Amino acid sequence: MLWEVEILSRPEQIDREGQRILGEVRLLGLDSIQTVRAGRSFLLEGRIDEATIQKAMQLLLVDEVVEIARVRKPAEVDANDDSTATGQLFNVLYKPGVTDNTALSTRRALQQAGIAIEEVATCRKYWFDHQAQLKEIQVLAQRVLGNDAIERIVQGPLQMATLSFGHTYQLELKHVPIRELDDQALMKLSKEGQLYLSLAEMQTIQKHFRDLQRDPTDIELETVAQTWSEHCSHKTLGGRIRYTDEHGTRQFGNMLKETIFAATQQLRKEWGKDDWCVSVFKDNAGIVTFEEGENVCIKVETHNHPSAIEPYGGANTGIGGVVRDPLGTGLGAKPVCNTNVFCFAPPDTPHESLPPGVLHPRQVALGVVAGVRDYGNRMGIPTVNGAVFFDERYLGNPLVYCGTVAMIPANRCEKKVSPGELIVALGGRTGRDGIHGATFSSAELTQESETISGGAVQIGNAVIEKMLMDVLLVARDRGLYSAVTDCGAGGFSSAVGEMGEETGAVVWLEKAPLKYAGLTYTEIWISEAQERMVLAVPPENWDEFHALCASEGVEATAIGQFTDDHKLTLTYDGKPVGELSMEFLHDGRPPVIREATYSPRTDGSKATFAPKTDYTDDVHKILSSLNVCSKEWIIRQYDHEVQAGSVVKPLVGVMCDGPSDAAVIRPNLSSKRGLVVSNGMNPHYGDHDPYWMAYAAIDEALRNCVACGADPSKIAILDNFCWGNTERPETLGSLVRAALGCHDAALVYKTPFISGKDSLNNEFSFLDDSGEKQTVAIPSSLLISALGQIADVQNAVTMDLKAAGNVLYLIGETKAEFGGSHYALVNSSQSGSVPRVNPELAPTVLAKTHALISAGLVKSCHDLSEGGLAIAVAEMAFAGELGVDLDLGHADPLVALFSESTTRFVIEVSPENQSKVESVLAGIPYQKLGVVTETGRVEITGQGKKVVSAANEDFKRSWQSPLAWS
Amino acid sequence: MISPRVCVLRAPGTNCDQETAHAFEICGGKPEVLHLNRILENPGRIKDYQILCIPGGFSYGDDIGSGVIFASQLKTALREEIGEFLAGDKLALGICNGFQTLLKAGVLPDGDEGWNQPDSGNQPAKATLTWNENGRYTARWVRLKVTSTNSIFLRGIDEIDLPMAHAEGRIAVRDAAVLTEWEARQQMALAYIPWRKYHNAERVTLLTAQAGGSPGSRQGTSALMEQGNPNGSIADLAGLCDPTGRVLGLMPHPERFLFATQHPNWTRMNLAGDGAGKQIFQNAIDYFA
């Protein structure tokens, strides 16, 4: 029997969901829709009567203080269905096979309470009054109520008899006749089979099987495609590249190794016994030392393509995925904080200007934020740092970077698989979700992506992953396993293939626990179902390991064994379905050879801004520009204090709403030592020169870290390249140029890269009204994430002004650098030269600023980034609710206020410490700017005239209002 | 003095257990973080403890409603053992998700008296914790006023700053009579009040009780901080205690203010040493001294 329990909020309670939808109705201009009533329902199937349903409602389903409910039988057709609400009803249900966490929890809880439930599903319900036009409701349904990729919408009272789906699976071995195909047919197979391999790669596979004198099975072909995907093998950036720019041509055998990685190697060599890197560029995250017996690791991943199609699930599983990276680093690290950076198109993009197949950027932003929130908060990992960057070119292809920092005991940083150990799947079950995620993420998005790749989208279940994490860390400390890795892109295929690379492995596919019956052996093997890890467990530890997992309710299943035959053998019910040599799988891929070119921009090197007598209005405009303005609406939805390590929060100041440069946390509650987490990114600089963009992003990440108290001599950084289609030489050229910047900057600052990631093909193409193919490529987006350390968190500094009478200094050198600046942006100009770091000066500026902070001489410190000095000072003032009275001297006020020259800070100093501070700063450019006042106003004089004058409240309002969404 | 034994009871999805145990430990207690499955296997184990604490998190994902599934286990499988615990001279604390669990199970608002009355399992709930008025999960610091003299946990505290982080923290009652009853029986333990502005000039001590400090001036633009009540909770309520004062539930997180450096304005006030939240755990431990 199938029952539906329909639940609405009591009339005196606010119908929040209904109001939210009504807000979206207004934004869409759907005038016929005047009211929306929202509710939800549980669909419950089992041999149960109505009295049992009533019991379930009372025990679990309905909160009678604020809700009302009724029961109906959806199997019985009833035209005059009496709903608790009236009007036109629309139901939103998950498509079969999509993870429904609430349903899963409900089923378990009801079964535990002794109620014989077999299946549960959930449903969101919306009632519109009868004046609402069906056409308008349908527009709303499509754009707001549900997402086609994972949900279906049913009009009217639900009519269904059963929730069950799936069927038993009979083994049916499939071969792919590849040996006889011509080139065209090979490429057709690559595309239609969603393998996304190149012709050279397809030909290599063909030759391999011709040599073996047989055709591959489908699972063999899929395994190769997953392993050779850009996502898993990073073949472009690790491949051969011939790079040409204004200095000539350079050949790379492995571009990443010879730039970013080489810089780290050189630094480690220089440091010798003082080397503080532990494990770099080889495991799922990079590890550095922290304190006696304890190391720290960090990883940042992207989840761009899934987030474009289903923002909530994409971001949700992005967090879930990156958290599993440290869990799968060494023998497992405990996450202590998350960081997220998003790139969206402007949220006010008109609906009618959207190309087909593109979700509205506001909807993307809302979904992404909710996805990160719901996963990170549930995991109990504080989200302490982040950024949001807006540009029109992210329209069809938003970026979602998710990062995790985690602690790992010094003696748990290495792993080793030995033949004979069991291959154990731990955590969530395997379903049909996420099939072809690895290959899909390596392809370009098109307007059809939503339909073709819907299966690549998943929804995470954070609690499953939390349980997995809890039990894994206990098993780690008991020494129950010898290796672990996460099951991410490519699923078991990548995880087992990687772990068994040096040994060999046999996998018994039918053993994998499934979410529902009916999966083929290939689906089991490549499914990217979330919340799974793969471990190598010595057989003698299996019983203890299994019992430990069972005691916490976590599923652990031996699905195979590591061997010593250097082969990957796949079986189903004892029958072989695939066999590949590890050598072919890991070393057989033909090298990717690419051309890369870069031509420097020739236009716009001279700034052509007319001088103004008053710049107050420009300060307002920059403060309210999307990249600079307050992100409090997002930050407040993230738990940034769980684990009780918070020292410097993302928002600081008198009213806890000023923008902090970095976050400081204390991962060990019994120690004074802290971690400092920050990031740097500025795609606008990349439009001028990716080399200097990379330099500036590193400088920004380091500045942010140092401003809060981190020691610049021990900051580890990560690169994260999101680029367009690198088959175009000029796109790859701009990437290589950025990598060269990374290399040079790492050596200058003596700051090692310890891990990194790239995501290529971030483009969206569609057919325009005239049938022409249009492609929108994202701007070159290099995110630098920094992980610094502070010896004693008590020395941390925040950016809010502290007391009237204190003196403000500007540290660093200001040049006329406006290329990619926010002053140029708000004045609609492309001109100006991009900020260039002075390599002779920059490390000294960081070191001296740190010396002042650790000597306790700095009351507040803020780095200068987008918008330059004027923005930094305005933020410090309103965060501290104090005024400033500054004199820029003889300098051009425009340059002094808004230039974005790098490596600069504003510091606040007590009057009695001025001479101490000035003696430390001797030898580098610095300038006394003026004093902190009680006035609550920002007053700035330049060349003898007042150039900025405003009350803190006014600047703060400009800064807070753009993204203060309700 | 023998350290009281503290059961920090975790369920799948609980995520504040470690720092909550740390809080009891630095106050001189003997905390154990115990999985609910261990108690379900052997319900008698609850007797071993003087203090029961349900920490924050998202028990069972909070998928149906916050704390609902955890609460259903207390109500059914552990009904008797919880009843015995409440009847004894023992303490129970629910923080955030723990508060939601205690309230939805019926341990709060009336503790022993409510739980151990005949047919208590079938009484309609007097109150619930439901969605914040803004419809969103919200993490921020709040200032609280202790509004009951009963609670053992809140002894010696008048006002206190603590962080909150929840989506379902709005207390709603069945009818207005519930409030009258709570007031008469001193069950309204904590109320949200407007945030106080800390300027460098004033050296405030947050570490001991304060004599009723008045909220700062109401200028500026941060409405949320100024209005005090962050979630629309009835009567600005942030926490409830039972009439004996031995059971406390609160939405804000005292275990996140054990150290001065956790206060959002510590750099403005040059704070060092302990955080004010520690007092709540110290009071519980001292009760058994």
Side-chain angles (χ1 to χ4, degrees), chain B residues 2 4 18 34 43 67 70 83 124 138-140 157 178 194 206 231 240 246 280 285:
Chain B
I2 300 166
Q18 296 300 323
L34 211 62
F70 200 159
T138 305
R140 52 170 284 218
I157 303 171
V178 174
L206 288 174
N231 54 24
L240 292 171
R246 289 189 286 106
I280 291 177
I285 299 301

mmCIF file with all atom_site columns, all heavy atoms in Angstrom, chain B residues 2 4 18 34 43 67 70 83 124 138-140 157 178 194 206 231 240 246 280 285:
data_model
loop_
_atom_site.group_PDB
_atom_site.id
_atom_site.type_symbol
_atom_site.label_atom_id
_atom_site.label_alt_id
_atom_site.label_comp_id
_atom_site.label_asym_id
_atom_site.label_entity_id
_atom_site.label_seq_id
_atom_site.pdbx_PDB_ins_code
_atom_site.Cartn_x
_atom_site.Cartn_y
_atom_site.Cartn_z
_atom_site.occupancy
_atom_site.B_iso_or_equiv
_atom_site.pdbx_formal_charge
_atom_site.auth_seq_id
_atom_site.auth_comp_id
_atom_site.auth_asym_id
_atom_site.auth_atom_id
_atom_site.pdbx_PDB_model_num
ATOM 1   N N   . ILE B 1 2   ? 35.775 13.978 43.527 1.00 0.00 ? 2   ILE B N   1
ATOM 2   C CA  . ILE B 1 2   ? 35.765 12.992 42.438 1.00 0.00 ? 2   ILE B CA  1
ATOM 3   C C   . ILE B 1 2   ? 35.174 13.665 41.213 1.00 0.00 ? 2   ILE B C   1
ATOM 4   O O   . ILE B 1 2   ? 34.105 14.273 41.295 1.00 0.00 ? 2   ILE B O   1
ATOM 5   C CB  . ILE B 1 2   ? 34.922 11.755 42.817 1.00 0.00 ? 2   ILE B CB  1
ATOM 6   C CG1 . ILE B 1 2   ? 35.521 11.095 44.076 1.00 0.00 ? 2   ILE B CG1 1
ATOM 7   C CG2 . ILE B 1 2   ? 34.856 10.762 41.666 1.00 0.00 ? 2   ILE B CG2 1
ATOM 8   C CD1 . ILE B 1 2   ? 34.595 10.099 44.728 1.00 0.00 ? 2   ILE B CD1 1
ATOM 9   N N   . PRO B 1 4   ? 33.053 14.349 38.221 1.00 0.00 ? 4   PRO B N   1
ATOM 10  C CA  . PRO B 1 4   ? 31.812 13.744 37.716 1.00 0.00 ? 4   PRO B CA  1
ATOM 11  C C   . PRO B 1 4   ? 32.021 13.170 36.321 1.00 0.00 ? 4   PRO B C   1
ATOM 12  O O   . PRO B 1 4   ? 32.783 13.717 35.518 1.00 0.00 ? 4   PRO B O   1
ATOM 13  C CB  . PRO B 1 4   ? 30.832 14.917 37.683 1.00 0.00 ? 4   PRO B CB  1
ATOM 14  C CG  . PRO B 1 4   ? 31.637 16.148 37.799 1.00 0.00 ? 4   PRO B CG  1
ATOM 15  C CD  . PRO B 1 4   ? 32.935 15.783 38.453 1.00 0.00 ? 4   PRO B CD  1
ATOM 16  N N   . GLN B 1 18  ? 33.616 16.594 20.061 1.00 0.00 ? 18  GLN B N   1
ATOM 17  C CA  . GLN B 1 18  ? 35.002 16.702 20.543 1.00 0.00 ? 18  GLN B CA  1
ATOM 18  C C   . GLN B 1 18  ? 35.213 17.960 21.384 1.00 0.00 ? 18  GLN B C   1
ATOM 19  O O   . GLN B 1 18  ? 35.764 17.896 22.482 1.00 0.00 ? 18  GLN B O   1
ATOM 20  C CB  . GLN B 1 18  ? 35.981 16.695 19.355 1.00 0.00 ? 18  GLN B CB  1
ATOM 21  C CG  . GLN B 1 18  ? 35.979 15.398 18.554 1.00 0.00 ? 18  GLN B CG  1
ATOM 22  C CD  . GLN B 1 18  ? 36.364 14.179 19.394 1.00 0.00 ? 18  GLN B CD  1
ATOM 23  O OE1 . GLN B 1 18  ? 37.221 14.243 20.277 1.00 0.00 ? 18  GLN B OE1 1
ATOM 24  N NE2 . GLN B 1 18  ? 35.697 13.055 19.144 1.00 0.00 ? 18  GLN B NE2 1
ATOM 25  N N   . LEU B 1 34  ? 30.299 9.042  23.592 1.00 0.00 ? 34  LEU B N   1
ATOM 26  C CA  . LEU B 1 34  ? 29.698 7.723  23.417 1.00 0.00 ? 34  LEU B CA  1
ATOM 27  C C   . LEU B 1 34  ? 28.728 7.739  22.235 1.00 0.00 ? 34  LEU B C   1
ATOM 28  O O   . LEU B 1 34  ? 27.911 8.645  22.115 1.00 0.00 ? 34  LEU B O   1
ATOM 29  C CB  . LEU B 1 34  ? 28.934 7.382  24.701 1.00 0.00 ? 34  LEU B CB  1
ATOM 30  C CG  . LEU B 1 34  ? 28.842 5.916  25.083 1.00 0.00 ? 34  LEU B CG  1
ATOM 31  C CD1 . LEU B 1 34  ? 30.224 5.327  25.344 1.00 0.00 ? 34  LEU B CD1 1
ATOM 32  C CD2 . LEU B 1 34  ? 27.980 5.767  26.326 1.00 0.00 ? 34  LEU B CD2 1
ATOM 33  N N   . PRO B 1 43  ? 21.293 -0.047 27.474 1.00 0.00 ? 43  PRO B N   1
ATOM 34  C CA  . PRO B 1 43  ? 20.704 1.197  27.991 1.00 0.00 ? 43  PRO B CA  1
ATOM 35  C C   . PRO B 1 43  ? 21.103 1.507  29.434 1.00 0.00 ? 43  PRO B C   1
ATOM 36  O O   . PRO B 1 43  ? 21.157 2.663  29.836 1.00 0.00 ? 43  PRO B O   1
ATOM 37  C CB  . PRO B 1 43  ? 19.196 0.947  27.886 1.00 0.00 ? 43  PRO B CB  1
ATOM 38  C CG  . PRO B 1 43  ? 19.046 -0.094 26.827 1.00 0.00 ? 43  PRO B CG  1
ATOM 39  C CD  . PRO B 1 43  ? 20.256 -0.971 26.952 1.00 0.00 ? 43  PRO B CD  1
ATOM 40  N N   . GLY B 1 67  ? 16.825 17.111 15.005 1.00 0.00 ? 67  GLY B N   1
ATOM 41  C CA  . GLY B 1 67  ? 16.780 16.314 16.221 1.00 0.00 ? 67  GLY B CA  1
ATOM 42  C C   . GLY B 1 67  ? 15.669 15.271 16.279 1.00 0.00 ? 67  GLY B C   1
ATOM 43  O O   . GLY B 1 67  ? 15.562 14.542 17.264 1.00 0.00 ? 67  GLY B O   1
ATOM 44  N N   . PHE B 1 70  ? 16.832 11.382 16.491 1.00 0.00 ? 70  PHE B N   1
ATOM 45  C CA  . PHE B 1 70  ? 17.509 11.177 17.779 1.00 0.00 ? 70  PHE B CA  1
ATOM 46  C C   . PHE B 1 70  ? 16.449 11.183 18.900 1.00 0.00 ? 70  PHE B C   1
ATOM 47  O O   . PHE B 1 70  ? 16.423 10.309 19.777 1.00 0.00 ? 70  PHE B O   1
ATOM 48  C CB  . PHE B 1 70  ? 18.527 12.310 17.974 1.00 0.00 ? 70  PHE B CB  1
ATOM 49  C CG  . PHE B 1 70  ? 19.624 12.040 18.962 1.00 0.00 ? 70  PHE B CG  1
ATOM 50  C CD1 . PHE B 1 70  ? 20.814 12.775 18.911 1.00 0.00 ? 70  PHE B CD1 1
ATOM 51  C CD2 . PHE B 1 70  ? 19.509 11.068 19.955 1.00 0.00 ? 70  PHE B CD2 1
ATOM 52  C CE1 . PHE B 1 70  ? 21.846 12.548 19.808 1.00 0.00 ? 70  PHE B CE1 1
ATOM 53  C CE2 . PHE B 1 70  ? 20.542 10.834 20.869 1.00 0.00 ? 70  PHE B CE2 1
ATOM 54  C CZ  . PHE B 1 70  ? 21.706 11.583 20.791 1.00 0.00 ? 70  PHE B CZ  1
ATOM 55  N N   . GLY B 1 83  ? 14.150 8.308  31.977 1.00 0.00 ? 83  GLY B N   1
ATOM 56  C CA  . GLY B 1 83  ? 13.294 8.652  33.115 1.00 0.00 ? 83  GLY B CA  1
ATOM 57  C C   . GLY B 1 83  ? 14.035 8.530  34.437 1.00 0.00 ? 83  GLY B C   1
ATOM 58  O O   . GLY B 1 83  ? 13.972 9.431  35.286 1.00 0.00 ? 83  GLY B O   1
ATOM 59  N N   . PRO B 1 124 ? 0.463  16.095 23.882 1.00 0.00 ? 124 PRO B N   1
ATOM 60  C CA  . PRO B 1 124 ? 0.882  16.983 22.785 1.00 0.00 ? 124 PRO B CA  1
ATOM 61  C C   . PRO B 1 124 ? 2.043  17.873 23.238 1.00 0.00 ? 124 PRO B C   1
ATOM 62  O O   . PRO B 1 124 ? 2.110  18.272 24.398 1.00 0.00 ? 124 PRO B O   1
ATOM 63  C CB  . PRO B 1 124 ? -0.367 17.817 22.494 1.00 0.00 ? 124 PRO B CB  1
ATOM 64  C CG  . PRO B 1 124 ? -1.224 17.693 23.711 1.00 0.00 ? 124 PRO B CG  1
ATOM 65  C CD  . PRO B 1 124 ? -0.892 16.378 24.350 1.00 0.00 ? 124 PRO B CD  1
ATOM 66  N N   . THR B 1 138 ? 21.877 30.291 9.918  1.00 0.00 ? 138 THR B N   1
ATOM 67  C CA  . THR B 1 138 ? 22.528 31.553 10.235 1.00 0.00 ? 138 THR B CA  1
ATOM 68  C C   . THR B 1 138 ? 23.592 31.339 11.309 1.00 0.00 ? 138 THR B C   1
ATOM 69  O O   . THR B 1 138 ? 23.301 30.793 12.370 1.00 0.00 ? 138 THR B O   1
ATOM 70  C CB  . THR B 1 138 ? 21.490 32.591 10.733 1.00 0.00 ? 138 THR B CB  1
ATOM 71  O OG1 . THR B 1 138 ? 20.463 32.700 9.739  1.00 0.00 ? 138 THR B OG1 1
ATOM 72  C CG2 . THR B 1 138 ? 22.133 33.944 10.968 1.00 0.00 ? 138 THR B CG2 1
ATOM 73  N N   . ALA B 1 139 ? 24.807 31.753 11.006 1.00 0.00 ? 139 ALA B N   1
ATOM 74  C CA  . ALA B 1 139 ? 25.899 31.655 11.966 1.00 0.00 ? 139 ALA B CA  1
ATOM 75  C C   . ALA B 1 139 ? 26.335 33.060 12.353 1.00 0.00 ? 139 ALA B C   1
ATOM 76  O O   . ALA B 1 139 ? 26.710 33.853 11.492 1.00 0.00 ? 139 ALA B O   1
ATOM 77  C CB  . ALA B 1 139 ? 27.081 30.895 11.354 1.00 0.00 ? 139 ALA B CB  1
ATOM 78  N N   . ARG B 1 140 ? 26.253 33.409 13.629 1.00 0.00 ? 140 ARG B N   1
ATOM 79  C CA  . ARG B 1 140 ? 26.700 34.731 14.099 1.00 0.00 ? 140 ARG B CA  1
ATOM 80  C C   . ARG B 1 140 ? 26.805 34.708 15.607 1.00 0.00 ? 140 ARG B C   1
ATOM 81  O O   . ARG B 1 140 ? 26.333 33.786 16.266 1.00 0.00 ? 140 ARG B O   1
ATOM 82  C CB  . ARG B 1 140 ? 25.729 35.822 13.650 1.00 0.00 ? 140 ARG B CB  1
ATOM 83  C CG  . ARG B 1 140 ? 24.287 35.551 13.985 1.00 0.00 ? 140 ARG B CG  1
ATOM 84  C CD  . ARG B 1 140 ? 23.406 36.763 13.748 1.00 0.00 ? 140 ARG B CD  1
ATOM 85  N NE  . ARG B 1 140 ? 23.600 37.713 14.807 1.00 0.00 ? 140 ARG B NE  1
ATOM 86  C CZ  . ARG B 1 140 ? 22.623 38.445 15.349 1.00 0.00 ? 140 ARG B CZ  1
ATOM 87  N NH1 . ARG B 1 140 ? 21.396 38.344 14.906 1.00 0.00 ? 140 ARG B NH1 1
ATOM 88  N NH2 . ARG B 1 140 ? 22.869 39.298 16.315 1.00 0.00 ? 140 ARG B NH2 1
ATOM 89  N N   . ILE B 1 157 ? 26.028 33.917 36.102 1.00 0.00 ? 157 ILE B N   1
ATOM 90  C CA  . ILE B 1 157 ? 26.126 34.595 34.809 1.00 0.00 ? 157 ILE B CA  1
ATOM 91  C C   . ILE B 1 157 ? 24.931 35.519 34.656 1.00 0.00 ? 157 ILE B C   1
ATOM 92  O O   . ILE B 1 157 ? 23.799 35.121 34.938 1.00 0.00 ? 157 ILE B O   1
ATOM 93  C CB  . ILE B 1 157 ? 26.144 33.576 33.647 1.00 0.00 ? 157 ILE B CB  1
ATOM 94  C CG1 . ILE B 1 157 ? 27.302 32.584 33.820 1.00 0.00 ? 157 ILE B CG1 1
ATOM 95  C CG2 . ILE B 1 157 ? 26.254 34.288 32.300 1.00 0.00 ? 157 ILE B CG2 1
ATOM 96  C CD1 . ILE B 1 157 ? 27.257 31.419 32.839 1.00 0.00 ? 157 ILE B CD1 1
ATOM 97  N N   . VAL B 1 178 ? 1.533  28.586 27.567 1.00 0.00 ? 178 VAL B N   1
ATOM 98  C CA  . VAL B 1 178 ? 2.823  27.936 27.811 1.00 0.00 ? 178 VAL B CA  1
ATOM 99  C C   . VAL B 1 178 ? 3.839  28.953 28.325 1.00 0.00 ? 178 VAL B C   1
ATOM 100 O O   . VAL B 1 178 ? 4.587  28.698 29.270 1.00 0.00 ? 178 VAL B O   1
ATOM 101 C CB  . VAL B 1 178 ? 3.321  27.249 26.523 1.00 0.00 ? 178 VAL B CB  1
ATOM 102 C CG1 . VAL B 1 178 ? 4.727  26.692 26.705 1.00 0.00 ? 178 VAL B CG1 1
ATOM 103 C CG2 . VAL B 1 178 ? 2.363  26.154 26.086 1.00 0.00 ? 178 VAL B CG2 1
ATOM 104 N N   . PRO B 1 194 ? 20.290 42.835 22.391 1.00 0.00 ? 194 PRO B N   1
ATOM 105 C CA  . PRO B 1 194 ? 21.109 43.441 21.330 1.00 0.00 ? 194 PRO B CA  1
ATOM 106 C C   . PRO B 1 194 ? 22.609 43.292 21.590 1.00 0.00 ? 194 PRO B C   1
ATOM 107 O O   . PRO B 1 194 ? 23.055 43.264 22.731 1.00 0.00 ? 194 PRO B O   1
ATOM 108 C CB  . PRO B 1 194 ? 20.700 44.910 21.357 1.00 0.00 ? 194 PRO B CB  1
ATOM 109 C CG  . PRO B 1 194 ? 19.329 44.892 21.932 1.00 0.00 ? 194 PRO B CG  1
ATOM 110 C CD  . PRO B 1 194 ? 19.321 43.792 22.950 1.00 0.00 ? 194 PRO B CD  1
ATOM 111 N N   . LEU B 1 206 ? 34.952 39.787 30.168 1.00 0.00 ? 206 LEU B N   1
ATOM 112 C CA  . LEU B 1 206 ? 33.834 38.925 29.777 1.00 0.00 ? 206 LEU B CA  1
ATOM 113 C C   . LEU B 1 206 ? 33.867 37.637 30.561 1.00 0.00 ? 206 LEU B C   1
ATOM 114 O O   . LEU B 1 206 ? 33.058 36.764 30.360 1.00 0.00 ? 206 LEU B O   1
ATOM 115 C CB  . LEU B 1 206 ? 33.976 38.553 28.316 1.00 0.00 ? 206 LEU B CB  1
ATOM 116 C CG  . LEU B 1 206 ? 33.711 39.663 27.337 1.00 0.00 ? 206 LEU B CG  1
ATOM 117 C CD1 . LEU B 1 206 ? 34.041 39.178 25.956 1.00 0.00 ? 206 LEU B CD1 1
ATOM 118 C CD2 . LEU B 1 206 ? 32.257 40.087 27.404 1.00 0.00 ? 206 LEU B CD2 1
ATOM 119 N N   . ASN B 1 231 ? 16.386 34.983 15.164 1.00 0.00 ? 231 ASN B N   1
ATOM 120 C CA  . ASN B 1 231 ? 15.634 33.953 14.462 1.00 0.00 ? 231 ASN B CA  1
ATOM 121 C C   . ASN B 1 231 ? 14.130 34.051 14.641 1.00 0.00 ? 231 ASN B C   1
ATOM 122 O O   . ASN B 1 231 ? 13.394 33.187 14.164 1.00 0.00 ? 231 ASN B O   1
ATOM 123 C CB  . ASN B 1 231 ? 16.117 32.559 14.894 1.00 0.00 ? 231 ASN B CB  1
ATOM 124 C CG  . ASN B 1 231 ? 16.062 32.385 16.401 1.00 0.00 ? 231 ASN B CG  1
ATOM 125 O OD1 . ASN B 1 231 ? 15.293 33.060 17.075 1.00 0.00 ? 231 ASN B OD1 1
ATOM 126 N ND2 . ASN B 1 231 ? 16.867 31.481 16.926 1.00 0.00 ? 231 ASN B ND2 1
ATOM 127 N N   . LEU B 1 240 ? 15.965 27.109 27.350 1.00 0.00 ? 240 LEU B N   1
ATOM 128 C CA  . LEU B 1 240 ? 14.930 26.735 28.317 1.00 0.00 ? 240 LEU B CA  1
ATOM 129 C C   . LEU B 1 240 ? 15.532 25.810 29.369 1.00 0.00 ? 240 LEU B C   1
ATOM 130 O O   . LEU B 1 240 ? 16.417 25.013 29.066 1.00 0.00 ? 240 LEU B O   1
ATOM 131 C CB  . LEU B 1 240 ? 13.812 25.948 27.631 1.00 0.00 ? 240 LEU B CB  1
ATOM 132 C CG  . LEU B 1 240 ? 12.909 26.662 26.632 1.00 0.00 ? 240 LEU B CG  1
ATOM 133 C CD1 . LEU B 1 240 ? 12.023 25.636 25.919 1.00 0.00 ? 240 LEU B CD1 1
ATOM 134 C CD2 . LEU B 1 240 ? 12.062 27.715 27.342 1.00 0.00 ? 240 LEU B CD2 1
ATOM 135 N N   . ARG B 1 246 ? 17.900 21.591 36.570 1.00 0.00 ? 246 ARG B N   1
ATOM 136 C CA  . ARG B 1 246 ? 18.916 20.565 36.325 1.00 0.00 ? 246 ARG B CA  1
ATOM 137 C C   . ARG B 1 246 ? 19.045 20.194 34.833 1.00 0.00 ? 246 ARG B C   1
ATOM 138 O O   . ARG B 1 246 ? 19.984 19.523 34.453 1.00 0.00 ? 246 ARG B O   1
ATOM 139 C CB  . ARG B 1 246 ? 18.632 19.318 37.173 1.00 0.00 ? 246 ARG B CB  1
ATOM 140 C CG  . ARG B 1 246 ? 18.906 19.562 38.657 1.00 0.00 ? 246 ARG B CG  1
ATOM 141 C CD  . ARG B 1 246 ? 18.851 18.295 39.493 1.00 0.00 ? 246 ARG B CD  1
ATOM 142 N NE  . ARG B 1 246 ? 17.480 17.821 39.690 1.00 0.00 ? 246 ARG B NE  1
ATOM 143 C CZ  . ARG B 1 246 ? 16.949 16.755 39.085 1.00 0.00 ? 246 ARG B CZ  1
ATOM 144 N NH1 . ARG B 1 246 ? 17.672 16.045 38.251 1.00 0.00 ? 246 ARG B NH1 1
ATOM 145 N NH2 . ARG B 1 246 ? 15.705 16.405 39.323 1.00 0.00 ? 246 ARG B NH2 1
ATOM 146 N N   . ILE B 1 280 ? 29.671 27.811 31.968 1.00 0.00 ? 280 ILE B N   1
ATOM 147 C CA  . ILE B 1 280 ? 28.499 26.922 31.918 1.00 0.00 ? 280 ILE B CA  1
ATOM 148 C C   . ILE B 1 280 ? 28.906 25.485 32.223 1.00 0.00 ? 280 ILE B C   1
ATOM 149 O O   . ILE B 1 280 ? 28.217 24.769 32.958 1.00 0.00 ? 280 ILE B O   1
ATOM 150 C CB  . ILE B 1 280 ? 27.806 27.072 30.540 1.00 0.00 ? 280 ILE B CB  1
ATOM 151 C CG1 . ILE B 1 280 ? 27.162 28.468 30.472 1.00 0.00 ? 280 ILE B CG1 1
ATOM 152 C CG2 . ILE B 1 280 ? 26.776 25.963 30.305 1.00 0.00 ? 280 ILE B CG2 1
ATOM 153 C CD1 . ILE B 1 280 ? 26.501 28.805 29.162 1.00 0.00 ? 280 ILE B CD1 1
ATOM 154 N N   . ILE B 1 285 ? 30.160 20.977 36.513 1.00 0.00 ? 285 ILE B N   1
ATOM 155 C CA  . ILE B 1 285 ? 31.131 20.158 37.245 1.00 0.00 ? 285 ILE B CA  1
ATOM 156 C C   . ILE B 1 285 ? 31.091 20.505 38.735 1.00 0.00 ? 285 ILE B C   1
ATOM 157 O O   . ILE B 1 285 ? 31.067 19.622 39.603 1.00 0.00 ? 285 ILE B O   1
ATOM 158 C CB  . ILE B 1 285 ? 32.556 20.384 36.669 1.00 0.00 ? 285 ILE B CB  1
ATOM 159 C CG1 . ILE B 1 285 ? 32.612 19.981 35.195 1.00 0.00 ? 285 ILE B CG1 1
ATOM 160 C CG2 . ILE B 1 285 ? 33.595 19.625 37.489 1.00 0.00 ? 285 ILE B CG2 1
ATOM 161 C CD1 . ILE B 1 285 ? 32.260 18.543 34.892 1.00 0.00 ? 285 ILE B CD1 1
#
